[in-house]
């Protein structure tokens, strides 16, 4: 059974710092991996989707890497800003399904001015 | 496009009552997903549809839960009878196809008293 773990559960950093969020999964036979952002009381916003054949994806100050063999993904945020404060979740499809996403519990990020 | 639209945003009901949550996916998207989010269990997939057909409903907790997608632009999630443990935020998401980025609605916060 696929399990997704995110460590740490919460992280507080000063503005301007570079930071890394971690995601691990138990079954390396994944179709892709997605990183989402969730603001309090809101839905999820997709940040990056990495296909199984890719090693990384970049969008602005965000860079996500994928190492299928070790069951790990990282989300790198450069020059963090208070507006980056949110909960970040990673998700992988369950088994051979392309739609049934299994989510981690998320990392709650607080960037202090 | 206005994105995924869910209604109502908030629902407070008494135990034993029927609850119906509604979702309008993004036009042109072929896959629709219902999730439930709680503090204890995080975000869990309940059911997803592809081309209006239920593909995987293994996440539906019990027979009290049912979901329908009568056409490509509308889906409902019904709980009958509702119980206090059903209290959660219910999200609907849609994607162009099963393996693509999923776009989430703002969610329905359900409280069953």
């Amino acid at each position: 059974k696929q399990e997704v773990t995110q460590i740490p559960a919460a992280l507080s950093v000063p503005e301007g710092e570079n930071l890394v969020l971690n995601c691990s999964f138990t079954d390396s036979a994944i179709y892709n991996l997605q990183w989402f952002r969730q603001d309090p009381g809101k839905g999820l916003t997709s940040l990056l989707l990495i296909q199984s054949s890719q090693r990384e994806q970049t969008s602005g100050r965000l860079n996500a890497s994928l190492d299928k063999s070790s069951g790990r993904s990282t989300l790198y945020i450069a020059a963090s800003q208070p507006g980056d404060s949110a909960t970040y979740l990673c998700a992988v499809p369950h088994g051979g399904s392309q739609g049934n996403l299994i989510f981690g519990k998320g990392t709650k990020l607080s960037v202090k001015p | 496009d206005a994105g995924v639209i869910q209604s109502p945003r908030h629902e407070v009901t008494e135990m034993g009552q029927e609850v119906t949550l509604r979702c309008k996916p993004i036009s042109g998207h072929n896959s629709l997903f219902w999730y439930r989010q709680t503090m204890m269990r995080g975000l869990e997939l309940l059911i997803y549809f592809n081309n209006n057909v239920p593909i995987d409903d293994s996440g539906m907790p019990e027979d009290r839960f049912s979901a329908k997608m009568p056409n490509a632009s509308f889906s409902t999630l019904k709980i009958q009878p509702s119980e206090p443990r059903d209290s959660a935020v219910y999200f609907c998401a849609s994607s162009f196809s099963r393996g693509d980025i999923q776009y989430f609605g703002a969610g329905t916060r359900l409280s069953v008293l």
Side-chain angles (χ1 to χ4, degrees), chain A residues 22-56:
Chain A
N22 297 296
C23 171
S24 61
F25 44 94
T26 54
D27 185 349
S28 61
I30 61 171
Y31 183 73
N32 57 39
L33 182 143
Q34 296 187 47
W35 281 94
F36 293 85
R37 167 185 173 140
Q38 185 174 27
D39 292 282
K42 302 287 181 63
L44 279 69
T45 300
S46 181
L47 297 173
L48 291 163
L49 183 150
I50 311 177
Q51 300 293 349
S52 60
S53 58
Q54 298 176 315
R55 299 273 309 174
E56 63 179 66

Side-chain angles (χ1 to χ4, degrees), chain A residues 74-104:
Chain A
T74 61
L75 179 66
Y76 175 83
I77 303 177
S80 59
Q81 304 171 357
D84 295 330
S85 298
T87 297
Y88 291 81
L89 300 100
C90 67
V92 296
H94 170 63
S97 166
Q98 298 174 24
N100 185 355
L101 290 182
I102 307 296
F103 282 83

Side-chain angles (χ1 to χ4, degrees), chain B residues 15-54:
Chain B
M15 182 174 64
Q17 297 297 308
E18 177 179 296
V19 175
T20 300
L21 311 181
R22 297 173 176 80
C23 176
K24 181 181 188 306
I26 293 173
S27 176
H29 281 190
N30 298 312
S31 297
L32 182 140
F33 310 82
W34 281 101
Y35 292 90
R36 178 171 67 176
Q37 187 175 39
T38 61
M39 288 292 292
M40 288 294 293
R41 300 175 66 88
L43 201 62
E44 301 174 291
L45 179 76
L46 299 175
I47 185 171
Y48 81 92
F49 295 84
N50 198 51
N51 293 321
N52 310 339
V53 176

Side-chain angles (χ1 to χ4, degrees), chain B residues 45-67:
Chain B
L45 179 76
L46 299 175
I47 185 171
Y48 81 92
F49 295 84
N50 198 51
N51 293 321
N52 310 339
V53 176
I55 302 299
D56 185 350
D57 65 354
S58 59
M60 296 285 264
E62 47 196 274
D63 292 345
R64 297 184 298 106
F65 286 69
S66 62

